[in-house]
Amino acid sequence: MPKKCLFLLILFPHAVMGDFDYKVSNTNFTLSQTEVYNYDRLRLQSDYKGKDFFATVIAEGVNFTGHDYVNSSTFSYFKQMKSDTSFETQSTFYNYYEGSSYAKLYRLYGGYEDEKNRAIVGVQNIQMGVGRIWTPVNLFNPKNIYALEPDEVFGVATVSYTRHLDETSDVMVVSSQKRDKSLKYGAQYKAFRHSPTEAKSSVPKSVDF
């Protein structure tokens, strides 16, 4: 207990000197496919930013309303889709006659960043590549094919480190722990080549392995 108190006392001055930001957002729409149902997501986000440290927490409550849909095979497949982490990031589904709801931890990470280094640990989104034809995207965070919001991806329990080599290039190394306790590794080198016709424009290149 004394060691924990000492740790908190060391961190407290940094937390007081930082800035906290809170956001609340809601997505709600009704879909008509084979069944008519309503999707409602409430997202709560808290961000902390200090001199060199930062942290983010994003929690969500999701509700589906539509008796036929929540009892369909499509919804059964949706409920089986979970984050590939060694611990649970969402609650069990609470079913009622007209629908079903659950809560989940969408993101939870903290890190350190200065002019040359950026280190992050926690449940985060790792984007490997730049989304062009020959570069892969989200090798660590695959898309959820049943997600109704196209930008939504599961977080992974990851430690990532980025070293900024200069103004136009950096190296990133990543290690994550999967549901079966195994580890997944990755590394990326990214550079920007300036266009000969437009000195200010840049074309990103990356090599992933």
Side-chain angles (χ1 to χ4, degrees):
M1 181 62 71
K3 292 183 179 180
K4 293 183 178 179
C5 293
L6 179 61
F7 178 73
L8 293 175
L9 289 174
I10 294 174
L11 289 183
F12 183 73
H14 297 282
V16 172
M17 295 174 60
D19 296 324
F20 290 90
D21 184 34
Y22 302 94
K23 300 177 183 178
V24 179
S25 61
N26 179 254
T27 300
N28 187 297
F29 49 80
T30 300
L31 296 175
S32 177
Q33 298 176 351
T34 56
E35 306 92 0
V36 178
Y37 65 96
N38 177 265
Y39 168 82
D40 184 57
R41 175 190 52 78
L42 178 65
R43 173 174 291 179
L44 306 176
Q45 178 173 344
S46 177
D47 297 295
Y48 164 76
K49 178 62 178 177
K51 180 180 178 181
D52 297 318
F53 297 92
F54 60 90
T56 293
V57 179
I58 304 177
E60 297 182 344
V62 183
N63 181 75
F64 294 88
T65 305
H67 180 267
D68 293 336
Y69 175 70
V70 298
N71 289 282
S72 66
S73 58
T74 300
F75 192 68
S76 297
Y77 291 131
F78 173 82
K79 292 194 295 184
Q80 297 176 19
M81 301 291 291
K82 297 181 179 180
S83 61
D84 192 10
T85 54
S86 58
F87 53 90
E88 295 294 338
T89 59
Q90 69 179 49
S91 68
T92 57
F93 282 76
Y94 171 73
N95 299 318
Y96 55 96
Y97 177 75
E98 290 295 332
S100 182
S101 61
Y102 70 101
K104 68 177 178 179
L105 184 65
Y106 188 61
R107 298 287 185 265
L108 174 62
Y109 59 85
Y112 170 86
E113 182 174 24
D114 56 29
E115 294 181 356
K116 287 291 185 179
N117 308 281
R118 179 179 174 88
I120 309 175
V121 58
V123 181
Q124 54 183 304
N125 179 20
I126 301 297
Q127 295 186 357
M128 303 285 280
V130 295
R132 300 182 184 275
I133 296 176
W134 301 113
T135 49
V137 176
N138 271 343
L139 296 176
F140 283 82
N141 303 74
K143 293 283 187 179
N144 179 3
I145 61 174
Y146 292 100
L148 297 178
E149 298 180 74
D151 294 333
E152 181 181 348
V153 294
F154 289 115
V156 287
T158 307
V159 176
S160 64
Y161 171 73
T162 301
R163 175 70 177 183
H164 303 294
L165 302 178
D166 51 46
E167 295 181 355
T168 61
S169 62
D170 56 58
V171 174
M172 180 173 69
V173 291
V174 180
S175 176
S176 69
Q177 187 176 50
K178 303 172 67 176
R179 179 174 292 274
D180 60 2
K181 306 295 185 179
S182 64
L183 297 177
K184 182 176 182 180
Y185 303 96
Q188 173 182 265
Y189 168 75
K190 182 181 292 185
F192 293 85
R193 183 181 69 249
H194 291 286
S195 169
T197 57
E198 297 182 15
K200 294 183 179 181
S201 65
S202 60
V203 179
K205 301 185 300 180
S206 66
V207 179
D208 304 308
F209 55 90

